[in-house]
Short mmCIF file of all heavy atoms in Angstrom, two decimals:
data_model
loop_
_atom_site.label_atom_id
_atom_site.label_comp_id
_atom_site.label_asym_id
_atom_site.label_seq_id
_atom_site.Cartn_x
_atom_site.Cartn_y
_atom_site.Cartn_z
N MET A 20 135.33 63.05 118.78
CA MET A 20 135.27 64.20 117.88
C MET A 20 136.67 64.79 117.72
O MET A 20 137.26 65.25 118.70
CB MET A 20 134.28 65.24 118.40
CG MET A 20 132.89 64.70 118.65
SD MET A 20 131.71 65.99 119.16
CE MET A 20 132.40 66.44 120.75
N ASN A 21 137.17 64.79 116.51
CA ASN A 21 138.49 65.33 116.19
C ASN A 21 138.36 66.47 115.20
O ASN A 21 137.35 66.63 114.53
CB ASN A 21 139.40 64.24 115.62
CG ASN A 21 139.60 63.07 116.56
OD1 ASN A 21 139.77 63.25 117.76
ND2 ASN A 21 139.61 61.86 116.01
N SER A 22 139.43 67.25 115.09
CA SER A 22 139.47 68.38 114.15
C SER A 22 138.22 69.25 114.26
O SER A 22 137.59 69.59 113.27
CB SER A 22 139.64 67.86 112.72
OG SER A 22 140.82 67.09 112.59
N LEU A 23 137.88 69.60 115.48
CA LEU A 23 136.64 70.32 115.73
C LEU A 23 136.65 71.71 115.10
O LEU A 23 137.68 72.39 115.03
CB LEU A 23 136.39 70.42 117.23
CG LEU A 23 135.87 69.13 117.86
CD1 LEU A 23 136.07 69.13 119.36
CD2 LEU A 23 134.39 68.94 117.52
N LYS A 24 135.48 72.11 114.62
CA LYS A 24 135.27 73.39 113.97
C LYS A 24 134.23 74.21 114.73
O LYS A 24 133.47 73.67 115.52
CB LYS A 24 134.79 73.18 112.52
CG LYS A 24 135.65 72.27 111.68
CD LYS A 24 134.99 72.02 110.33
CE LYS A 24 135.83 71.11 109.47
NZ LYS A 24 135.17 70.85 108.16
N PHE A 25 134.21 75.51 114.46
CA PHE A 25 133.19 76.37 115.07
C PHE A 25 131.79 75.83 114.80
O PHE A 25 130.91 75.92 115.67
CB PHE A 25 133.30 77.80 114.55
CG PHE A 25 134.53 78.52 114.99
CD1 PHE A 25 135.46 78.97 114.06
CD2 PHE A 25 134.78 78.78 116.33
CE1 PHE A 25 136.60 79.65 114.45
CE2 PHE A 25 135.92 79.45 116.74
CZ PHE A 25 136.82 79.89 115.80
N GLU A 26 131.57 75.29 113.61
CA GLU A 26 130.26 74.79 113.21
C GLU A 26 129.81 73.57 114.02
O GLU A 26 128.64 73.19 113.94
CB GLU A 26 130.26 74.43 111.72
CG GLU A 26 130.75 75.54 110.82
CD GLU A 26 132.24 75.46 110.57
OE1 GLU A 26 132.66 74.70 109.68
OE2 GLU A 26 133.00 76.17 111.28
N ASP A 27 130.71 72.95 114.76
CA ASP A 27 130.35 71.80 115.58
C ASP A 27 129.72 72.22 116.91
O ASP A 27 129.25 71.36 117.67
CB ASP A 27 131.57 70.92 115.85
CG ASP A 27 132.14 70.30 114.58
OD1 ASP A 27 131.34 69.85 113.74
OD2 ASP A 27 133.37 70.28 114.44
N THR A 28 129.74 73.49 117.21
CA THR A 28 129.16 73.99 118.45
C THR A 28 127.66 73.67 118.49
O THR A 28 126.92 74.06 117.60
CB THR A 28 129.38 75.49 118.61
OG1 THR A 28 130.78 75.76 118.73
CG2 THR A 28 128.67 76.03 119.85
N ALA A 29 127.23 72.97 119.53
CA ALA A 29 125.84 72.56 119.65
C ALA A 29 125.64 71.82 120.96
O ALA A 29 126.61 71.48 121.66
CB ALA A 29 125.43 71.65 118.48
N VAL A 30 124.39 71.56 121.29
CA VAL A 30 124.07 70.62 122.35
C VAL A 30 123.98 69.24 121.71
O VAL A 30 123.26 69.04 120.73
CB VAL A 30 122.75 70.96 123.06
CG1 VAL A 30 122.43 69.92 124.13
CG2 VAL A 30 122.82 72.34 123.69
N TYR A 31 124.72 68.30 122.25
CA TYR A 31 124.76 66.94 121.72
C TYR A 31 123.91 66.02 122.59
O TYR A 31 124.04 66.01 123.82
CB TYR A 31 126.20 66.42 121.66
CG TYR A 31 126.99 67.03 120.52
CD1 TYR A 31 127.38 68.36 120.55
CD2 TYR A 31 127.32 66.27 119.39
CE1 TYR A 31 128.08 68.92 119.51
CE2 TYR A 31 128.03 66.82 118.35
CZ TYR A 31 128.40 68.15 118.40
OH TYR A 31 129.11 68.70 117.36
N TYR A 32 123.04 65.25 121.93
CA TYR A 32 122.11 64.36 122.61
C TYR A 32 122.38 62.91 122.23
O TYR A 32 122.57 62.59 121.06
CB TYR A 32 120.66 64.69 122.25
CG TYR A 32 120.21 66.07 122.67
CD1 TYR A 32 120.35 67.15 121.82
CD2 TYR A 32 119.63 66.27 123.92
CE1 TYR A 32 119.92 68.41 122.19
CE2 TYR A 32 119.20 67.53 124.30
CZ TYR A 32 119.35 68.59 123.44
OH TYR A 32 118.93 69.84 123.81
N CYS A 33 122.35 62.04 123.21
CA CYS A 33 122.44 60.61 122.98
C CYS A 33 121.05 60.04 122.81
O CYS A 33 120.12 60.41 123.55
CB CYS A 33 123.15 59.94 124.16
SG CYS A 33 123.25 58.14 124.04
N ASN A 34 120.88 59.15 121.86
CA ASN A 34 119.62 58.46 121.62
C ASN A 34 119.86 56.95 121.57
O ASN A 34 120.81 56.49 120.94
CB ASN A 34 118.99 58.92 120.31
CG ASN A 34 117.85 58.01 119.86
OD1 ASN A 34 118.04 57.12 119.02
ND2 ASN A 34 116.67 58.24 120.41
N GLY A 35 119.00 56.21 122.22
CA GLY A 35 119.09 54.77 122.18
C GLY A 35 117.74 54.16 121.83
O GLY A 35 116.72 54.54 122.41
N TYR A 36 117.75 53.26 120.86
CA TYR A 36 116.55 52.46 120.58
C TYR A 36 116.78 51.11 121.25
O TYR A 36 117.68 50.36 120.85
CB TYR A 36 116.32 52.30 119.08
CG TYR A 36 115.06 51.55 118.75
CD1 TYR A 36 113.81 52.12 119.00
CD2 TYR A 36 115.10 50.28 118.19
CE1 TYR A 36 112.65 51.44 118.71
CE2 TYR A 36 113.93 49.59 117.90
CZ TYR A 36 112.71 50.17 118.16
OH TYR A 36 111.55 49.50 117.87
N LEU A 37 115.99 50.84 122.27
CA LEU A 37 116.26 49.67 123.09
C LEU A 37 114.99 49.09 123.66
O LEU A 37 113.93 49.71 123.62
CB LEU A 37 117.24 50.03 124.22
CG LEU A 37 116.82 51.15 125.18
CD1 LEU A 37 115.96 50.62 126.32
CD2 LEU A 37 118.06 51.85 125.74
N LYS A 38 115.12 47.89 124.18
CA LYS A 38 114.02 47.24 124.86
C LYS A 38 114.34 47.14 126.34
O LYS A 38 115.36 46.56 126.72
CB LYS A 38 113.76 45.84 124.29
CG LYS A 38 112.67 45.09 125.04
CD LYS A 38 112.32 43.77 124.38
CE LYS A 38 111.46 42.90 125.29
NZ LYS A 38 110.30 43.62 125.86
N ALA A 39 113.47 47.70 127.15
CA ALA A 39 113.56 47.54 128.59
C ALA A 39 112.79 46.30 129.00
O ALA A 39 111.81 45.92 128.36
CB ALA A 39 113.00 48.77 129.30
N ILE A 40 113.23 45.67 130.06
CA ILE A 40 112.53 44.49 130.56
C ILE A 40 111.11 44.87 130.95
O ILE A 40 110.89 45.82 131.70
CB ILE A 40 113.28 43.89 131.76
CG1 ILE A 40 114.66 43.41 131.34
CG2 ILE A 40 112.48 42.75 132.37
CD1 ILE A 40 115.53 42.95 132.49
N GLY A 41 110.15 44.15 130.38
CA GLY A 41 108.75 44.40 130.68
C GLY A 41 108.10 45.47 129.83
O GLY A 41 106.93 45.80 130.05
N SER A 42 108.83 46.02 128.86
CA SER A 42 108.32 47.07 128.00
C SER A 42 108.69 46.79 126.55
O SER A 42 109.68 46.11 126.28
CB SER A 42 108.88 48.44 128.41
OG SER A 42 108.55 48.75 129.75
N PRO A 43 107.90 47.31 125.60
CA PRO A 43 108.26 47.14 124.18
C PRO A 43 109.43 48.03 123.81
O PRO A 43 109.75 48.98 124.54
CB PRO A 43 106.98 47.57 123.45
CG PRO A 43 106.33 48.54 124.39
CD PRO A 43 106.63 48.01 125.77
N PRO A 44 110.09 47.74 122.68
CA PRO A 44 111.20 48.60 122.25
C PRO A 44 110.74 50.04 122.08
O PRO A 44 109.61 50.31 121.65
CB PRO A 44 111.62 47.99 120.91
CG PRO A 44 111.18 46.56 120.99
CD PRO A 44 109.90 46.60 121.77
N ALA A 45 111.62 50.98 122.39
CA ALA A 45 111.29 52.39 122.29
C ALA A 45 112.56 53.23 122.25
O ALA A 45 113.65 52.75 122.55
CB ALA A 45 110.43 52.82 123.47
N ASP A 46 112.39 54.49 121.84
CA ASP A 46 113.48 55.45 121.84
C ASP A 46 113.63 56.09 123.21
O ASP A 46 112.64 56.45 123.85
CB ASP A 46 113.24 56.55 120.82
CG ASP A 46 113.67 56.17 119.42
OD1 ASP A 46 114.84 55.76 119.25
OD2 ASP A 46 112.84 56.29 118.48
N TYR A 47 114.88 56.27 123.64
CA TYR A 47 115.19 56.97 124.87
C TYR A 47 116.22 58.03 124.57
O TYR A 47 117.08 57.86 123.71
CB TYR A 47 115.71 56.00 125.94
CG TYR A 47 114.68 55.00 126.41
CD1 TYR A 47 114.45 53.84 125.69
CD2 TYR A 47 113.94 55.22 127.56
CE1 TYR A 47 113.50 52.91 126.11
CE2 TYR A 47 113.00 54.30 127.98
CZ TYR A 47 112.78 53.16 127.26
OH TYR A 47 111.83 52.24 127.68
N TRP A 48 116.14 59.14 125.31
CA TRP A 48 117.01 60.29 125.07
C TRP A 48 117.72 60.72 126.34
O TRP A 48 117.17 60.65 127.44
CB TRP A 48 116.20 61.48 124.54
CG TRP A 48 115.66 61.28 123.17
CD1 TRP A 48 114.48 60.70 122.82
CD2 TRP A 48 116.29 61.66 121.95
NE1 TRP A 48 114.33 60.70 121.46
CE2 TRP A 48 115.43 61.29 120.90
CE3 TRP A 48 117.50 62.30 121.65
CZ2 TRP A 48 115.73 61.52 119.56
CZ3 TRP A 48 117.82 62.53 120.32
CH2 TRP A 48 116.94 62.14 119.29
N GLY A 49 118.96 61.17 126.16
CA GLY A 49 119.69 61.77 127.25
C GLY A 49 119.34 63.24 127.40
O GLY A 49 118.56 63.80 126.61
N GLN A 50 119.91 63.87 128.40
CA GLN A 50 119.58 65.26 128.71
C GLN A 50 120.36 66.26 127.86
O GLN A 50 120.00 67.44 127.83
CB GLN A 50 119.84 65.54 130.20
CG GLN A 50 121.30 65.83 130.56
CD GLN A 50 122.20 64.62 130.50
OE1 GLN A 50 121.76 63.48 130.35
NE2 GLN A 50 123.51 64.86 130.64
N GLY A 51 121.40 65.81 127.19
CA GLY A 51 122.21 66.68 126.35
C GLY A 51 123.45 67.18 127.06
O GLY A 51 123.46 67.35 128.28
N THR A 52 124.50 67.41 126.29
CA THR A 52 125.73 67.99 126.81
C THR A 52 126.24 69.05 125.83
O THR A 52 126.24 68.83 124.62
CB THR A 52 126.79 66.91 127.08
OG1 THR A 52 127.94 67.49 127.69
CG2 THR A 52 127.21 66.20 125.79
N GLN A 53 126.64 70.19 126.35
CA GLN A 53 127.05 71.32 125.52
C GLN A 53 128.48 71.16 125.05
O GLN A 53 129.39 70.89 125.84
CB GLN A 53 126.91 72.63 126.30
CG GLN A 53 127.38 73.87 125.54
CD GLN A 53 126.47 74.24 124.40
OE1 GLN A 53 125.26 74.31 124.57
NE2 GLN A 53 127.06 74.48 123.23
N VAL A 54 128.68 71.33 123.74
CA VAL A 54 130.01 71.39 123.14
C VAL A 54 130.18 72.76 122.51
O VAL A 54 129.38 73.16 121.66
CB VAL A 54 130.20 70.29 122.08
CG1 VAL A 54 131.52 70.50 121.33
CG2 VAL A 54 130.17 68.91 122.72
N THR A 55 131.19 73.48 122.94
CA THR A 55 131.45 74.81 122.42
C THR A 55 132.87 74.89 121.88
O THR A 55 133.83 74.67 122.62
CB THR A 55 131.26 75.89 123.50
OG1 THR A 55 129.92 75.82 124.02
CG2 THR A 55 131.50 77.27 122.94
N VAL A 56 132.99 75.17 120.59
CA VAL A 56 134.28 75.33 119.94
C VAL A 56 134.55 76.82 119.81
O VAL A 56 133.75 77.54 119.20
CB VAL A 56 134.31 74.65 118.57
CG1 VAL A 56 135.71 74.75 117.95
CG2 VAL A 56 133.90 73.18 118.69
N PHE A 57 135.65 77.29 120.37
CA PHE A 57 135.93 78.72 120.42
C PHE A 57 137.42 78.98 120.32
O PHE A 57 138.24 78.10 120.55
CB PHE A 57 135.40 79.31 121.73
CG PHE A 57 136.22 78.94 122.94
CD1 PHE A 57 137.10 79.85 123.51
CD2 PHE A 57 136.13 77.68 123.49
CE1 PHE A 57 137.87 79.52 124.61
CE2 PHE A 57 136.89 77.33 124.60
CZ PHE A 57 137.76 78.25 125.16
N SER A 58 137.75 80.17 119.96
CA SER A 58 139.14 80.64 119.93
C SER A 58 139.28 81.96 120.66
O SER A 58 140.39 82.40 120.94
CB SER A 58 139.63 80.76 118.49
OG SER A 58 138.87 81.73 117.79
#
């Protein structure tokens, strides 16, 4: 992320559509990480 703006402030979540061994493909989500743009 470059040239960050105040509007970019949010919790960012990673999502993966993947197949685990022994399971059908599915969506998986991370716990989120906070990004805060401030001056």
Side-chain angles (χ1 to χ4, degrees):
M20 304 184 294
N21 301 319
S22 302
L23 283 161
K24 307 174 180 179
F25 291 118
E26 308 91 84
D27 296 318
T28 295
V30 178
Y31 285 71
Y32 297 90
C33 177
N34 167 263
Y36 183 69
L37 58 86
K38 176 173 168 50
I40 297 173
S42 301
D46 277 306
Y47 294 83
W48 291 88
Q50 81 288 351
T52 185
Q53 177 71 48
V54 172
T55 302
V56 184
F57 73 103
S58 63

